Amino acid sequence: MSPVTGWPHEWVEDHRSPLFTFRSKASTEYEFYFASVLWWLDVLFHAIVFALLIAAPISVLVYFTIVRPRKIRGRRSAVWFWGYGVLLPFLVAMPVRLFSFLQIRSGTFRFVLLSFPMTAIFRILAAMYDFAPAHATRSLPDYILYFSSPMLLSHDNKTGRYIPTSSRKVFKIFSRFLGFQFITGAYQSLFYQFPSIFPNLNPSLQYPGEGHLTLRELFSLLCVKDSFFLAVLIMLYLCTFGESLVFFISLITQKQVEPFMDNPIFASESPSDFWGRRWNLLVHDCLKNGVYKPVRSMGGSKVVAVAASFLASGILHEWVVTIIFAEHKEFYWNGRQTAFFLWQALLVAGEALVGHWNIFKRMNKLIPTYVKTGLIIMLGIPLAPWFFEPYQGTGFYFQTHTCFPVIFRKGSFAENS
């Protein structure tokens, strides 16, 4: 443990002290580290700053330069100018400079706060091509609320109004957030207690991209096993951070928020079910309105629109890597994030092309859900080490365990911080 210096957004190491120690039946001594409350308060403060001082003013600009002019014939050129010429370049370039100015060095902090510019980019594209939700464009206040929220606000389909929440529901969301926090911490602790089973999270020892894995190695059982464990960890991260934002948005706006994740790794029945109805529903909504629908409106087939959406997702994640891991240029724009998502596009497109065949319909009825889920994961995971490479190769997981309650063998904490 190193001395505490600065605020959590400046941390690149874990500064916690053990809350208590305990001994197992085998006389092994363990240390329990509680989640850093200061970290969560700091990220909440920055989320409020981003929403009020960055996202809200941009939403006003988008409303008057794109949303309203888009409905006026003869003003389309101004829409393209403001969208492609001003707002999108600004949002792409802004995070690196802003994080540098605010001295946000923590990769985990950047990971959470990037939800604001990321959703803004696709919501601007949706507005440019006239696919912004009708309920959000009814008035300026509605659009500010929609655009400034990094999560999806629930609305009544009949009235178009946002659905108010209650104190009981907000408390339930907070309880769910705490539950995910402990589950994630317990799961990540397993990586440290059973290194022979779980992949090594220490970048100084091993990471998936070390030596540039060949295609044969990517499809090996060892890589598939490690990728599965890491995929579950990333899913739990997203669930926890997503629930924290859902809680924050519900508390601040007093509106209901749409679910963020729906158990994709253990309940999906097809590739399209995994990506379209279960995994990161926020990004799915952004890609649907900002990429899929515009491509379809321009005459693109369903397969082309799906491919374009996954290509956009790949490029998005390449951009995310350059910001979260700004100090590690070896991971910049190497195409591996894009390759991973294009592989997923191939699976979803293949389902769209042959999924309606009778043989597959019969198989879908006969095969148990858990078997289908396992097959989907096995098909989608081979290129996952390329996706995990920057996260495992930079110590991201060690920065992240500051946010969760974790258990270490006594004396091993310094090796994993």
Side-chain angles (χ1 to χ4, degrees), residues 170-190:
V170 172
F171 179 77
K172 187 176 180 180
I173 294 169
F174 182 69
S175 301
R176 196 160 60 232
F177 158 66
L178 291 179
F180 273 120
Q181 202 179 44
F182 278 93
I183 291 170
T184 305
Y187 181 71
Q188 184 154 344
S189 296
L190 295 176

Side-chain angles (χ1 to χ4, degrees), residues 28 61 66 209:
T28 303
L61 188 59
I66 295 178

Side-chain angles (χ1 to χ4, degrees), residues 89-225:
F90 170 76
L91 285 168
V92 169
M94 177 266 292
V96 170
R97 290 166 175 78
L98 183 62
F99 289 161
S100 176
F101 175 75
L102 296 175
Q103 296 185 331
I104 298 177
R105 299 172 60 210
S106 165
T108 314
F109 241 82
R110 297 171 184 175
F111 181 82
V112 175
L113 295 178
L114 268 179
S115 58
F116 288 91
M118 181 195 68
T119 54
I121 286 171
F122 288 105
R123 285 168 178 172
I124 288 172
L125 286 170
M128 289 171 62
Y129 290 94
D130 208 18
F131 288 107
H135 70 271
T137 58
R138 295 186 316 153
S139 66
L140 177 59
D142 284 333
Y143 194 75
I144 292 174
L145 198 56
Y146 155 78
F147 192 93
S148 303
S149 169
M151 293 287 130
L152 296 173
L153 298 175
S154 302
H155 68 279
D156 188 301
N157 290 325
K158 293 182 178 179
T159 65
R161 297 186 181 281
Y162 293 115
I163 302 173
T165 190
S166 63
S167 300
R168 183 178 179 182
K169 289 180 179 178
V170 172
F171 179 77
K172 187 176 180 180
I173 294 169
F174 182 69
S175 301
R176 196 160 60 232
F177 158 66
L178 291 179
F180 273 120
Q181 202 179 44
F182 278 93
I183 291 170
T184 305
Y187 181 71
Q188 184 154 344
S189 296
L190 295 176
F191 284 71
Y192 308 131
Q193 311 309 323
F194 304 101
S196 61
I197 299 174
F198 292 87
N200 198 320
L201 300 182
N202 193 330
S204 64
L205 299 177
Q206 170 191 358
Y207 62 94
E210 190 170 30
H212 302 296
L213 294 174
T214 65
L215 284 176
R216 183 177 179 179
E217 289 170 325
L218 286 171
F219 284 81
S220 69
L221 288 178
L222 177 62
C223 251
V224 170
K225 173 185 73 72

Side-chain angles (χ1 to χ4, degrees), residues 93 211 232:
V232 174

Side-chain angles (χ1 to χ4, degrees), residues 43-349:
V43 82
L44 176 61
F45 169 76
H46 280 81
I48 294 172
V49 170
F50 271 54
L52 297 180
L53 302 184
I54 298 174
I58 292 175
S59 69
V60 175
L61 188 59
V62 173
Y63 185 79
F64 286 109
T65 61
I66 295 178
V67 174
R68 289 184 62 178
R70 186 68 179 81
K71 301 181 183 301
I72 303 173
R73 188 168 296 181
R75 298 289 301 276
R76 303 294 170 84
S77 58
V79 167
W80 306 137
F81 168 76
W82 280 102
Y84 287 121
V86 178
L87 292 167
L88 291 177
F90 170 76
L91 285 168
V92 169
M94 177 266 292
V96 170
R97 290 166 175 78
L98 183 62
F99 289 161
S100 176
F101 175 75
L102 296 175
Q103 296 185 331
I104 298 177
R105 299 172 60 210
S106 165
T108 314
F109 241 82
R110 297 171 184 175
F111 181 82
V112 175
L113 295 178
L114 268 179
S115 58
F116 288 91
M118 181 195 68
T119 54
I121 286 171
F122 288 105
R123 285 168 178 172
I124 288 172
L125 286 170
M128 289 171 62
Y129 290 94
D130 208 18
F131 288 107
H135 70 271
T137 58
R138 295 186 316 153
S139 66
L140 177 59
D142 284 333
Y143 194 75
I144 292 174
L145 198 56
Y146 155 78
F147 192 93
S148 303
S149 169
M151 293 287 130
L152 296 173
L153 298 175
S154 302
H155 68 279
D156 188 301
N157 290 325
K158 293 182 178 179
T159 65
R161 297 186 181 281
Y162 293 115
I163 302 173
T165 190
S166 63
S167 300
R168 183 178 179 182
K169 289 180 179 178
V170 172
F171 179 77
K172 187 176 180 180
I173 294 169
F174 182 69
S175 301
R176 196 160 60 232
F177 158 66
L178 291 179
F180 273 120
Q181 202 179 44
F182 278 93
I183 291 170
T184 305
Y187 181 71
Q188 184 154 344
S189 296
L190 295 176
F191 284 71
Y192 308 131
Q193 311 309 323
F194 304 101
S196 61
I197 299 174
F198 292 87
N200 198 320
L201 300 182
N202 193 330
S204 64
L205 299 177
Q206 170 191 358
Y207 62 94
E210 190 170 30
H212 302 296
L213 294 174
T214 65
L215 284 176
R216 183 177 179 179
E217 289 170 325
L218 286 171
F219 284 81
S220 69
L221 288 178
L222 177 62
C223 251
V224 170
K225 173 185 73 72
D226 286 353
S227 295
F228 173 77
F229 286 137
L230 290 172
V232 174
L233 184 59
I234 289 291
M235 181 187 75
L236 289 173
Y237 282 172
L238 289 173
C239 286
T240 308
F241 294 134
E243 286 297 331
S244 71
L245 289 174
V246 168
F247 167 69
F248 158 66
I249 297 300
S250 300
L251 184 66
I252 297 297
T253 65
Q254 288 298 296
K255 308 295 182 187
Q256 288 188 32
V257 181
E258 292 292 317
F260 179 73
M261 195 87 77
D262 188 15
N263 194 19
I265 292 181
F266 299 105
S268 298
E269 297 192 18
S270 68
S272 63
D273 184 40
F274 182 98
W275 291 108
R277 291 179 286 276
R278 294 186 180 276
W279 181 270
N280 201 336
L281 300 177
L282 171 67
V283 171
H284 166 73
D285 181 80
C286 289
L287 289 168
K288 181 179 179 181
N289 291 327
V291 180
Y292 182 87
K293 288 182 178 180
V295 171
R296 291 285 280 162
S297 70
M298 291 184 280
S301 66
K302 182 177 180 180
V303 171
V304 170
V306 166
S309 299
F310 277 100
L311 176 61
S313 183
I315 294 171
L316 169 73
H317 282 81
E318 300 276 0
W319 171 73
V320 165
V321 164
T322 67
I323 297 170
I324 295 179
F325 312 112
E327 297 79 15
H328 298 271
K329 295 186 178 181
E330 64 270 25
F331 298 113
Y332 282 19
W333 300 102
N334 59 20
R336 296 185 176 189
Q337 303 286 311
T338 304
F340 169 75
F341 282 100
L342 288 178
W343 174 259
Q344 310 307 316
L346 187 64
L347 297 177
V348 175

